[in-house]
Amino acid sequence: MAQAQTSSSSSGSSAGGLGRLIGVGLLLAGVVLLALGAYLGPYTYATSTPGKLTVETCTVDYKHRGTSSSSSRKRTKTKWCYGTFTATDGSVKDLNAELRSDSLHQRGEVIEALRTGETSYQRDSGWVGSIAVGCAWWFGALVPLALGLLCTATGFAFGGASDFNRAKGAVAPGLLSTVYTLLAMGAIGVVLSLLVMFFA
């Protein structure tokens, strides 16, 4: 009997160690997502060159994903517009600019654009759009942060119902509700941010 208890305790402690290791990894992933949100959102917008792209032509790029069987292959469709980018302040003029577009524009149409690198461009959705991009990443970061907090505090290692019940019994008062709140905030925040990005 004592041997069985020892074996159970040893297996619980090893699962707890694995859970805490997973928790640290999730917390680090959450921090990385927070940093990506800041970089891809407000930072990129603030350091980009605003201007206009005068469309020369637009094309659709088709790519197939999946196995070689035609029935199981999925086709993705990406729209690209090419033309001349002119910076608002006149500092840059690129005759061979290209950017990913949400629609096919006619020749001569003008698209508000940002020059984010030497040869990279994106649509200019303004500060609202850039903050929405950052918020989508930041709210998304709440999910691994919440799960990382749970795993680090309790040793939860995603080992099924028994592992969850063990972690639930070891959880500090209020921690589980905090985790649930963070998960809900993350999910709702991502959806709202994506809606703002879509309409921006």
Side-chain angles (χ1 to χ4, degrees), residues 33-34 36-38 40-42 129-139 193 197:
L33 290 178
L34 289 172
L36 275 173
L40 296 174
S130 68
I131 290 172
V133 169
C135 286
W137 286 91
W138 294 331
F139 280 115
S193 299
M197 287 166 57

Side-chain angles (χ1 to χ4, degrees), residues 93-111:
K93 186 168 186 178
D94 184 354
L95 302 179
N96 300 303
E98 64 177 52
L99 62 77
R100 191 171 179 172
S101 177
D102 55 356
S103 60
L104 297 175
H105 296 271
Q106 298 298 317
R107 180 174 182 172
E109 285 189 53
V110 175
I111 303 173

Side-chain angles (χ1 to χ4, degrees), residues 10-199:
S10 168
S11 125
S13 68
S14 66
L18 175 62
R20 287 179 175 82
L21 186 62
I22 292 172
V24 171
L26 287 169
L27 289 173
L28 289 174
V31 171
V32 169
L33 290 178
L34 289 172
L36 275 173
Y39 177 77
L40 296 174
Y43 176 80
T44 296
Y45 185 81
T47 56
S48 297
T49 303
K52 298 180 188 297
L53 184 140
T54 304
V55 176
E56 195 65 36
T57 184
C58 289
T59 61
V60 180
D61 181 22
Y62 293 98
K63 286 187 180 177
H64 293 276
R65 294 185 305 170
T67 62
S68 57
S69 167
S70 59
S71 60
S72 61
R73 295 172 76 185
K74 292 184 179 178
R75 189 170 72 167
T76 59
K77 188 168 64 171
T78 307
K79 297 167 187 170
W80 294 91
C81 285
Y82 308 87
T84 301
F85 173 82
T86 306
T88 304
D89 60 5
S91 60
V92 177
K93 186 168 186 178
D94 184 354
L95 302 179
N96 300 303
E98 64 177 52
L99 62 77
R100 191 171 179 172
S101 177
D102 55 356
S103 60
L104 297 175
H105 296 271
Q106 298 298 317
R107 180 174 182 172
E109 285 189 53
V110 175
I111 303 173
E112 297 286 338
L114 292 173
R115 186 175 193 250
T116 57
E118 286 297 319
T119 58
S120 57
Y121 297 87
Q122 68 181 42
R123 287 186 64 92
D124 184 357
S125 54
W127 273 109
V128 173
S130 68
I131 290 172
V133 169
C135 286
W137 286 91
W138 294 331
F139 280 115
L142 292 180
V143 175
L145 287 175
L147 293 175
L149 182 64
L150 177 67
C151 294
T152 305
T154 66
F156 176 58
F158 302 95
S162 61
D163 188 26
F164 180 75
N165 289 332
R166 178 194 60 76
K168 195 174 177 182
V171 74
L175 178 60
L176 200 57
S177 62
T178 300
V179 169
Y180 286 145
T181 301
L182 289 174
L183 289 174
M185 284 175 59
I188 294 170
V190 167
V191 170
L192 292 176
S193 299
L194 290 176
L195 285 173
V196 172
M197 287 166 57
F198 181 77
F199 290 108

